[in-house]
Amino acid sequence: MEKKMRFGIKSKIIIGYLIVIVCLFIAFIVLNSQISSLQKERNFIIDHDIEVHDLTNRIEKHLLDMETGQRGYIITGEASYLEPYNSAATSWEKDYNALYQLLNNNPNQQEKLEKIKGSIQDWVEAAGEPTIALKKENNTKELQQFFEKDPGRQYMDDIRSQFTSFRNVEKKSTETRATELDEKNQKIKIGLYGLLLFVTLISLAIAIVLSNSIVNTIKEVTQTIKRITASKGELKGRIKVRSNDEIKDLGLATNALLENIEERNWLQTNIAHAVTMYQGIASVDKLAEKFLFTVSEMTQASFGAFYVRGENDKGNLFVKQAAFADRKGDAGRESFLIGEGLIGQAALEKRTFVINDVPDTYQLITSGLGDVKPKSIFIVPVLFEDEVIAVIELASLHEFTVLEQELISQVIETFGLTINGVIRRMEIARLLKESQAMTEELQAQSEELQTQSEELQMQSEELRMINEQLEERTKDAEEKSFELEAAKEDLEEKAHQLELNSQYKSEFLANMSHELRTPLNSILILSEMLEENAAKTLSEDEEEYARIIHSSGKDLLALINDILDLSKVESGKLDILLAEMNMSELPDQIERNFSHVAEQKNVQLKINKAQDVPDIIHTDEKRFQQIVKNLLSNAFKFTESGSVTVSIQRVADHRLTTAMRTVDTDCWLKIAVADTGIGIPKEKHQLIFEAFQQADGATVRKYGGTGLGLSICSEFAKLLGGWISLSSEVGKGSTFTLYLPSLSNGLIDYEKVNFAYEEVAVSVEEAEPEAEITEIDHPVQPVESSLQDDENVFQDKRVLIVDDDQRNIFALKTALAKQGMTIMTAHNGIECLEMMENSEPFDLILMDVMMPQMDGYEAMQKIRGELKLVDLPIIALTAKAMKNDREKCLEAGASDYISKPLDLNQLFSVMRVWLVN
């Protein structure tokens, strides 16, 4: 018989919904088609008609510009009035052609346009061009005669009349299309209501059919359950369901529940009987026999044995206490050691064994007619307090069912307690007999114990004295522990104070930077302007004074930057930004930066780059350039004659030391800066890398400097994963060598690498050159900078300077005014916002950050947020050049960021970029 196809409630409901969804989908397609048609017509009205009206108005505007320009030129004679005339004369024909193309489906309107075009051309030929020509010839008499007749007015009136007629026709056409669109919209609305009614009827029909199918089947199941309930505990009846759906599953589950309840009732009844049958039994033998008989009767077992735990010299031993269907006492072995046989293994693992594949050599079950081989063996341990105290083995002619196994498992859960109770009672009886015999012995021993008690009392006194000594030592230990705790708290307080001192130091340096950079900004800007002497009002000596002031200001700025860099390195707050660096450009960069220095000091600059040096490495280019520039600056500073040589090489793989190989890098570079200067004594080689240290006092007096440069370079090199070595001889010169890895896989932990500087430097420096070195010859060319482009983008630009320092305002205002800009000033953020609300728009704002009342951050946020000026260029200026200042300014709304003191070339360059963009 073929299996009946399953058609569940879920399937019925889904099919019903699918039918409704299909109907809705069809309705949606029809409706969407109609709406798309309406949308196209609506878009045509919007795009076509509005464009027609717009082009018409623009042609009229061009004509009006021509007329206005003509009359303005004739009245004033100014050629500027001809610009709108000429522009409109070329533009109206383009708009006319576009309008003519839009009306290619309306020949009548095109004819009117052609008439309008003819009228415009007639006006130009009759009134426009002739009068302009007469004015250019300065023929006033003929002009007066022309305007006495004024034929151009008639042309203009005709043109306006023609445009009015043209617009009226277009308006009527637009109204006609709108009326047709409304009629189609009404039809769609009626169709929508019809589709809605149709879908509603289909949905109701499907719902009625599905509900009848489900409810009728549930009623049949409910009636069957009521009949079973009315049978007063009789659970033999079962539910029968004809449908093949979830209702049938419910009926089958209910039948399974009834069978389970029936089995549970049988199980509970037999468990209760087993528990009551061994009450009042006082010996283990009788308890075992009674238990085997009862369990065998319940499970229809034909053979059994009961083993109870005992002890011998070899450990735990399980001894047979009873058997069922025993034949002359040979039902199984008399005893088992733990782990021996299945009985011993069950006791060892504390688990039940069920064996259905019984071997042929197993004990046969005897009956009156012969011996029968059992089909199943069931071995179960009896536990008490998680210890096995007995093991039961049963054999049956049939396989033990799951229910029978469950019965035995539940019975033995409490049977262990019963066995232990019987064993305890037997043990108590035995102990009672032994206690009577021991009482006499105890009396004899009591006298001996009294003697021993006196001895113990003397020992107790000795122990009391020892205890007092221990208490004194404990007090001493507690006092020392208290002192250690106080010392620990003192150290923690000092560590906290050091952290505060570091924080105060960083804040002090930031504030010092701001206070020094603010006046320094004015000094540098004004001295640079005086040095340029654009007005030629200063003498040569005064120009030299200005150059000295400007140079001194730059030296002071370099000192401030060095101190800040050293502070960042010491506090661990200096960011290293790894990126690709083009090594092929390094020689050109060195040449551009130091060729003029070499020329001034009459020192030869040589740059040698090995051919195997990679074009691209990964490092922090800014810190790398800072190291190289500092080394070169020192070389030129301490070299009066001779040469300064820069060598760029790649360290060969076979020359790498063990420490260098531990670094995850593509290659190691060696950049050596050698000079023929004064040299450094060997005992000073380590000293010069410390902060504020130089070779000797005479050097400081003669050459100047703070002694910070090499200290900063050394720290930067360590942060980049490398180091700087020095070889020098007094009077012959010095060579500073930078060893640096290419960190393509990120920064390394310098403390973990722990390079051995001397070993690495010696092993690398003693190597012979591995690659051919090419000397790069760069012609020395003067470096020129220009503050102006060919086209002055600064002319007539409105710039607002927001700064609370009058010196900075004066310097910036003077410098920017010379570039042709219009300058306005505000002293804080509040004045800035008031000026922006009450004056004409500005082209650019120079915003100081630290100001009273409202600082630059808040002012920029209000400009971007409240005033909605998102495209206005704002350049943030600050003298507090600390970490993350640039990011904070950009987040607040700044377009760009420059730190004080300002470099006018840099300022003009940044302003030029934003004003052009």
Side-chain angles (χ1 to χ4, degrees), residues 395-598:
S396 177
L397 297 176
H398 69 278
E399 292 185 2
F400 288 98
T401 64
V402 175
L403 188 62
E404 291 171 346
Q405 295 177 25
E406 179 69 18
L407 171 65
I408 296 174
S409 297
Q410 292 194 21
V411 168
I412 65 171
E413 285 181 359
T414 58
F415 190 55
L417 179 62
T418 302
I419 295 175
N420 184 70
V422 173
I423 293 174
R424 291 297 179 189
R425 286 196 294 271
M426 294 173 65
E427 183 69 15
I428 289 172
R430 184 183 65 80
L431 291 175
L432 181 59
K433 292 180 181 179
E434 292 179 357
S435 65
Q436 292 175 352
M438 293 175 64
T439 301
E440 296 178 358
E441 296 179 7
L442 289 173
Q443 289 177 353
Q445 292 175 357
S446 62
E447 295 178 358
E448 184 179 351
L449 289 173
Q450 186 174 1
T451 304
Q452 293 177 353
S453 176
E454 294 176 356
E455 295 176 357
L456 288 174
Q457 188 174 1
M458 296 176 62
Q459 293 176 358
S460 176
E461 184 67 21
E462 294 177 359
L463 289 174
R464 185 183 61 79
M465 296 176 63
I466 294 172
N467 188 43
E468 290 177 355
Q469 294 176 357
L470 290 175
E471 287 180 355
E472 292 179 358
R473 293 179 182 178
T474 302
K475 290 181 181 179
D476 294 339
E478 289 178 353
E479 291 178 358
K480 291 181 180 179
S481 175
F482 180 76
E483 292 175 357
L484 290 173
E485 186 68 25
K488 178 183 176 183
E489 293 177 357
D490 188 34
L491 288 174
E492 290 177 351
E493 180 65 25
K494 290 181 179 179
H496 179 66
Q497 191 64 36
L498 286 174
E499 184 178 355
L500 289 177
N501 291 340
S502 178
Q503 180 180 353
Y504 295 153
K505 173 185 175 183
S506 298
E507 191 64 28
F508 167 75
L509 289 174
N511 292 330
M512 181 197 72
S513 169
H514 177 266
E515 296 301 327
L516 291 176
R517 287 171 183 263
T518 298
L520 187 58
N521 182 57
S522 304
I523 293 172
L524 288 178
I525 293 175
L526 294 177
S527 62
E528 184 177 359
M529 293 170 60
L530 289 173
E531 183 183 351
E532 292 175 357
N533 195 14
K536 304 298 180 182
T537 58
L538 300 179
S539 64
E540 293 182 359
D541 291 340
E542 289 171 335
E543 287 184 16
E544 182 63 23
Y545 299 156
R547 278 193 293 271
I548 293 172
I549 293 172
H550 189 68
S551 175
S552 301
K554 285 188 174 180
D555 292 341
L556 180 57
L557 176 60
L559 175 60
I560 294 171
N561 290 335
D562 286 346
I563 295 174
L564 289 176
D565 284 342
L566 185 61
S567 174
K568 291 178 183 178
V569 171
E570 289 177 349
S571 61
K573 296 182 179 179
L574 187 69
D575 289 334
I576 298 298
L577 304 177
L578 296 182
E580 291 185 352
M581 177 181 175
N582 192 341
M583 291 299 295
S584 60
E585 297 177 354
L586 182 60
D588 294 332
Q589 294 172 355
I590 295 173
E591 181 68 29
R592 284 196 302 270
N593 291 329
F594 291 95
S595 60
H596 63 286
V597 179

Side-chain angles (χ1 to χ4, degrees), residues 640-658:
E640 299 294 337
S641 61
S643 64
V644 173
T645 303
V646 181
S647 299
I648 306 168
Q649 302 178 41
R650 175 174 180 167
V651 181
D653 293 341
H654 66 278
R655 296 296 180 182
L656 296 177
T657 64
T658 303

Side-chain angles (χ1 to χ4, degrees), residues 726-738:
L726 168 63
S727 63
S728 179
E729 187 175 348
V730 176
K732 293 185 179 181
S734 305
T735 300
F736 287 87
T737 305
L738 170 64

